[in-house]
C-alpha cells in the first residue's frame, strides 16, 4: 500500500486553531509518501528514508520511545489501540519533500499519513475529520504538544481545488478560491528554526486559556476565546495581565480577519487581501510575539522594496522562524526572489529558499 500525505500552507488564521477560531489552510504538493507492506510478528519495522534511520516498534505501544519521529507514529498506533483496534505487524518506509522546520507541517503529514494507513488496514472506518481529531489527540496526549487541529485537518481534508476555510470549533469547512488574477502566493523560507518555539507555543496556549477564563467570569456562555467580540474583550481586559490581554486582542482580531479575507478573495480584492496579511504579521509580531528578527526582515524588505508588486506578506505557521507567505504580482516573482536572496544573505549569511504555493490533494492512496 502506498499513501501520499501532504504538508500544508495557511493563508490566514494563525495561532487561533487552539482557541476554536477560523483558519484558511491548504494541502500542498509537497508530501510524505508511505510504503507499507506486511511484516511478520507483533512489531512495526519503521524506516525514515530521509534520515536513513530504522526503528523496530513493539506492539502494542505502551508509551513514548524518546525518538521524535517514531513517537509521532507510535502516538497514532496508541490512538487506534485505545479505540480497540488491533494494529498488525507492518513494514513502513516513508520519506518526502516537505522542508523540515519551515512551518509546512511535516509532522502533521507524518501523523495523518499513519492514521490513514491504519484506518485502511484495521478497517476502523473513521472519516477524514475523525482521523484529524485522532491525530490531534495523539499530539496533545501522547506527545504532550498542545497544538490545534489545523495542520492535520488540512493535510487529511485538503483538496487540489483550493484552500479551505475551517472553523476549528465546529470542524465545519468549505472550499475557498484563492486565485487572484495576475498575482501569486510565494513562500520564502528564512531557514531559521528557533529552539524557543516549543516552550513559547505552550505558553501561548496557556495564555489563551487564561484569557478565556477571565472572559467566562463575565460571559459564562463563551466556550472558546475566538467567540469573544472586541466589545466583550474591552469590558474585561483590565482584569487580565497585560500579556494575556494582548494575546486575546490578537486572537479576536485574527478571527475577524479570516472572514474579511474570505470576502476580499471572493471580490478579487488584492489590495485588501494584502493589507490583511500585513495586519496579521504585525499582530503576530507585536501582540502575539511569535515572530523573530530574521522573518520580520524578510517580510519588511519584501514590502518596502516592492510596494507596487508585493501586496502583502506575513509569517506563516507556528512561528519563531519558518516561512513568510507573500502575495505578489506574478510577473515580478524573479525580481523579488533575487532581491530577497541578496539582502538576506548580506545581512544573515543565509540563503533563503523559495517555494511557489502549489495546492495539492489531501491524503490519499496512490
Ligand atoms: C502549528 C500548530 C497548529 C497551529 C499553528 C499556528 O503549526 O501545529 O496547530 O497552531 O502552529 O497557527
Amino acid at each position: 500500500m502506498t499513501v501520499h500525505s501532504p504538508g500544508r500552507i495557511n493563508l490566514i488564521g494563525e495561532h487561533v486553531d487552539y482557541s476554536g477560531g477560523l483558519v484558511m489552510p491548504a494541502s500542498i504538493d509537497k508530501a510524505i509518501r508511505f510504503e507499507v507492506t506486511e511484516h511478520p510478528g507483533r512489531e512495526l519495522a519503521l524506516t525514515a528514508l530521509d534520515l536513513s534511520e530504522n526503528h523496530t516498534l513493539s506492539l502494542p505501544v505502551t508509551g513514548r520511545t524518546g525518538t521524535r519521529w517514531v513517537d509521532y507514529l507510535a502516538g497514532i498506533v496508541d490512538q487506534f489501540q485505545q479505540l480497540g483496534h488491533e494494529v498488525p505487524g507492518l513494514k513502513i518506509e516513508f520519506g518526502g519533500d516537505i522542508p523540515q522546520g519551515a512551518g509546512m507541517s511535516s509532522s502533521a503529514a507524518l501523523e495523518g499519513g499513519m492514521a490513514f494507513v491504519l484506518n485502511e488496514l484495521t478497517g476502523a472506518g473513521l472519516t477524514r475529520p475523525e482521523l484529524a481529531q485522532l491525530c490531534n489527540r495523539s499530539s496533545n496526549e501522547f506527545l504532550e504538544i498542545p497544538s490545534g487541529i489545523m495542520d492535520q485537518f488540512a493535510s487529511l481534508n485538503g483538496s487540489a481545488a483550493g484552500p479551505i476555510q475551517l472553523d476549528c470549533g465546529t470542524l465545519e469547512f468549505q472550499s475557498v478560491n484563492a486565485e487572484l488574477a495576475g498575482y501569486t502566493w510565494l513562500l520564502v523560507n528564512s531557514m531559521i528554526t528557533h529552539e524557543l518555539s516549543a516552550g513559547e507555543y505552550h505558553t501561548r496556549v496557556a495564555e489563551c486559556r487564561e484569557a478565556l477564563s477571565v472572559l467566562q467570569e463575565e460571559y459564562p456562555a463563551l466556550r472558546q476565546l475566538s467567540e469573544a467580540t472586541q466589545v466583550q474583550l474591552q469590558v474585561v481586559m483590565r482584569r487580565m495581565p497585560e500579556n494575556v490581554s494582548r494575546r486575546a486582542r490578537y486572537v479576536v482580531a485574527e478571527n475577524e480577519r479570516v472572514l474579511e479575507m474570505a470576502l476580499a478573495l471572493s471580490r478579487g480584492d488584492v489590495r485588501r487581501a494584502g493589507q490583511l496579511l500585513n495586519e496579521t504579521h504585525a499582530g503576530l509580531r507585536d501582540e502575539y510575539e511569535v515572530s523573530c528578527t530574521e522573518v520580520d526582515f524578510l517580510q519588511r524588505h519584501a514590502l518596502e522594496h516592492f510596494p507596487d508588486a508585493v501586496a502583502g506578506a506575513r509569517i506563516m505557521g507556528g512561528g519563531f522562524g519558518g516561512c513568510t507567505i507573500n502575495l505578489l504580482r506574478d510577473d515580478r516573482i524573479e525580481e523579488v526572489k533575487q532581491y530577497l536572496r541578496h539582502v538576506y544573505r548580506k545581512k544573515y549569511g543565509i540563503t533563503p529558499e523559495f517555494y511557489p504555493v502549489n495546492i495539492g490533494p489531501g491524503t490519499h492512496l496512490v
Side-chain angles (χ1 to χ4, degrees):
M1 170 192 284
T2 305
V3 167
H4 169 104
S5 179
R8 66 103 187 87
I9 53 99
N10 186 27
L11 296 186
I12 199 159
E14 212 66 88
H15 276 281
V16 293
D17 59 348
Y18 49 84
S19 290
L22 299 170
V23 296
M24 208 180 270
S27 45
I28 54 173
D29 61 346
K30 297 188 190 307
I32 296 177
R33 186 176 273 239
F34 290 75
E35 295 290 347
V36 184
T37 49
E38 282 176 20
H39 180 77
R42 294 282 294 141
E43 61 183 34
L44 299 182
L46 305 171
T47 304
L49 296 169
D50 302 325
L51 303 172
S52 305
E53 282 182 29
N54 297 307
H55 188 97
T56 304
L57 184 67
S58 301
L59 295 171
V61 164
T62 51
R64 289 207 292 254
T65 66
T67 303
R68 237 317 129 91
W69 67 265
V70 176
D71 286 339
Y72 274 112
L73 303 176
I76 302 300
V77 174
D78 173 62
Q79 288 294 324
F80 277 85
Q81 288 173 181
Q82 285 190 43
L83 293 174
H85 300 290
E86 186 166 326
V87 174
L90 296 169
K91 177 168 182 267
I92 302 179
E93 294 185 338
F94 68 91
D97 59 358
I98 308 174
Q100 304 275 311
M104 292 154 97
S105 293
S106 51
S107 48
L110 197 54
E111 293 175 321
M114 184 68 173
F116 191 91
V117 165
L118 296 186
N119 197 38
E120 294 289 313
L121 294 179
T122 61
L126 299 176
T127 63
R128 286 168 184 269
E130 284 167 346
L131 288 175
Q133 285 174 302
L134 180 148
C135 291
N136 191 224
R137 283 199 303 276
S138 174
S139 284
N140 294 172
E141 294 164 12
F142 192 83
L143 293 152
E144 297 181 83
I145 302 170
S147 52
I149 199 167
M150 170 170 75
D151 303 347
Q152 298 98 341
F153 200 97
S155 179
L156 282 156
N157 295 273
S159 141
I164 56 173
Q165 182 182 316
L166 166 69
D167 182 326
C168 297
T170 62
L171 298 189
E172 279 164 22
F173 69 104
Q174 68 214 56
S175 65
V176 169
N177 183 355
E179 280 177 30
L180 292 161
Y183 279 75
T184 196
W185 299 87
L186 176 74
L187 302 178
V188 182
N189 189 352
S190 68
M191 312 303 283
I192 300 282
T193 25
H194 283 295
E195 278 309 312
L196 228 69
S197 58
E200 289 294 321
Y201 193 95
H202 279 72
T203 307
R204 293 300 171 279
V205 173
E207 288 167 327
C208 287
R209 288 204 184 119
E210 189 177 343
L212 175 62
S213 68
V214 174
L215 275 153
Q216 282 172 331
E217 286 165 17
E218 188 76 25
Y219 306 103
L222 279 183
R223 285 159 310 163
Q224 312 259 26
L225 178 57
S226 63
E227 288 172 8
T229 63
Q230 300 279 8
V231 175
Q232 289 174 327
L233 199 54
Q234 282 296 331
V235 172
V236 300
M237 203 128 96
R238 283 217 203 85
R239 295 181 223 160
M240 295 176 185
E242 210 276 321
N243 60 316
V244 172
S245 71
R246 249 185 303 135
R247 313 298 186 229
R249 255 199 327 262
Y250 166 79
V251 169
V252 172
E254 180 70 352
N255 215 44
E256 290 172 354
R257 277 192 289 268
V258 177
L259 292 172
E260 281 200 58
M261 179 63 93
L263 201 65
L265 291 175
S266 71
R267 291 182 176 150
D269 187 345
V270 175
R271 229 182 112 243
R272 185 70 192 128
Q275 275 170 356
L276 290 165
L277 295 174
N278 297 336
E279 285 172 22
T280 293
H281 186 80
L284 289 167
R285 183 190 60 211
D286 305 332
E287 293 185 316
Y288 217 71
E289 294 180 282
V290 291
S291 191
C292 63
T293 49
E294 296 89 342
V295 172
D296 290 342
F297 180 93
L298 287 171
Q299 193 263 356
R300 194 176 66 246
H301 278 265
L303 284 172
E304 284 178 0
H305 201 77
F306 298 99
D308 56 339
V310 178
R314 71 173 189 84
I315 185 171
M316 189 185 79
F320 305 101
C323 289
T324 57
I325 181 163
N326 300 257
L327 177 60
L328 75 168
R329 272 178 49 177
D330 49 21
D331 57 349
R332 306 284 296 278
I333 300 175
E334 283 314 314
E335 204 186 320
V336 172
K337 281 194 209 171
Q338 224 174 51
Y339 174 76
L340 289 179
R341 193 181 293 121
H342 172 73
V343 289
Y344 195 66
R345 261 196 198 154
K346 202 165 143 214
K347 173 85 177 169
Y348 294 106
I350 301 170
T351 307
E353 286 181 2
F354 302 92
Y355 322 106
V357 170
N358 292 326
I359 296 176
T363 317
H364 60 271
L365 278 173
V366 179

